[in-house]
Amino acid sequence: MPTLYIGNKNYSSWSMRPWVLLRQAGIAFDEVRVRFDSFEADSDFKRTIGPLSPTGKVPALVDGDLVVWDTLSIAEYLAESYPEKHLWPQDKAARAHARSVCAEMHSGFTALRGACPMNIEAHLPDTGALIWRDQSAVRADVQRLVDMWSGLLAQYGGPMLLGEFSIADAYFAPVCMRLHTYALPVPAPIKAYVDRVRELPGVKAWIDEALAEKDFLDFEEPYRLRR
């Protein structure tokens, strides 16, 4: 059984992706949560994850003697290890489409990710309104998401981006959390997709456990002094 090392569920968007993928696909795994005490070299976090991952970051998947540490690489490894789960779409063209949008998420949307860090417990519509007003790069990132998701939902018929649940939906789940937390304005069909993602059993389990953490980390909270 593989073991997935993750950070705080409330904050760790990269950890969320493979965890949701495993849970939603029904793949058994062990979980080790490594708390974000800080990211300094002498932190408990770095002392724990450093010997496992050459990047010193989460997530990291340990399967026997193998360690896979990049989120997209973890997704690819799981797709190859559990082909019966169809984590990528079965159609070749749809697979290429799914891989393209995941790779775009992996390297892009930096304005949205920087201005709106994932914070599942928080409800920050006023902060979101100011970000939306003042940061054109965030508006551009959200417009790209709207265009991308609208096209995928129209082409593949929903309810998920490529029809059935796939790696792409797990990959964009943290974005759905951001859109919800900051109440960023999106068209009704996109809001409906966000709501569907949030109701997926794997995603809902992550949200519930994030809410149960009650672990306020000031360095992860640019917009609040306390809960």
Side-chain angles (χ1 to χ4, degrees), residues 7-225:
N8 289 57
K9 287 188 169 77
N10 190 54
Y11 303 113
S12 186
S13 58
W14 292 106
S15 297
M16 184 183 187
R17 294 179 168 97
W19 194 98
V20 164
L21 182 63
L22 285 158
R23 186 69 174 264
Q24 186 65 24
I27 299 170
F29 68 104
D30 290 324
E31 168 194 328
V32 177
R33 195 195 78 152
V34 186
R35 181 178 182 267
F36 287 164
D37 59 330
S38 83
F39 302 119
E40 300 299 323
D42 61 347
S43 66
D44 287 342
F45 175 83
K46 289 294 188 182
R47 283 197 295 265
T48 300
I49 201 67
L52 288 171
S53 170
T55 64
K57 298 177 181 179
V58 289
L61 184 77
V62 178
D63 194 8
D65 294 331
L66 175 68
V67 179
V68 188
W69 60 86
D70 177 85
T71 305
L72 196 51
S73 296
I74 292 172
E76 291 282 11
Y77 178 75
L78 293 173
E80 291 184 356
S81 299
Y82 302 92
E84 74 282 2
K85 297 295 185 178
H86 305 302
L87 301 181
W88 290 118
Q90 297 184 63
D91 177 73
K92 180 179 178 181
R95 276 199 309 278
H97 207 168
R99 284 188 168 107
S100 294
V101 298
C102 287
E104 183 177 348
M105 179 69 249
H106 199 61
S107 60
F109 300 99
T110 54
L112 177 62
R113 297 206 317 254
C116 302
M118 192 174 84
N119 191 333
I120 290 173
E121 180 274 335
H123 181 57
L124 302 170
D126 292 342
T127 300
L130 291 174
I131 292 168
W132 189 260
R133 184 194 68 185
D134 295 338
Q135 301 200 31
S136 60
V138 171
R139 297 196 300 271
D141 277 355
V142 172
Q143 186 59 54
R144 172 59 189 142
L145 285 170
V146 169
D147 293 343
M148 176 198 293
W149 291 358
S150 297
L152 291 169
L153 292 168
Q155 181 173 349
Y156 296 101
M160 297 290 105
L161 292 178
L162 280 295
E164 300 300 318
F165 173 82
S166 73
I167 290 169
D169 302 293
Y171 228 75
F172 282 102
V175 179
C176 294
M177 302 304 106
R178 288 175 163 96
L179 294 176
H180 178 80
T181 293
Y182 298 91
L184 301 180
V186 294
I190 301 303
K191 173 64 164 57
Y193 170 71
V194 169
D195 291 342
R196 290 196 297 274
V197 169
R198 288 174 55 82
E199 288 301 316
L200 289 171
V203 175
K204 190 173 186 305
W206 177 278
I207 292 172
D208 290 345
E209 293 178 28
L211 296 177
E213 282 181 341
K214 302 188 184 305
D215 187 13
F216 183 87
L217 302 178
D218 55 1
F219 58 88
E220 293 281 1
E221 295 272 1
Y223 304 120
R224 300 194 299 178
L225 296 175

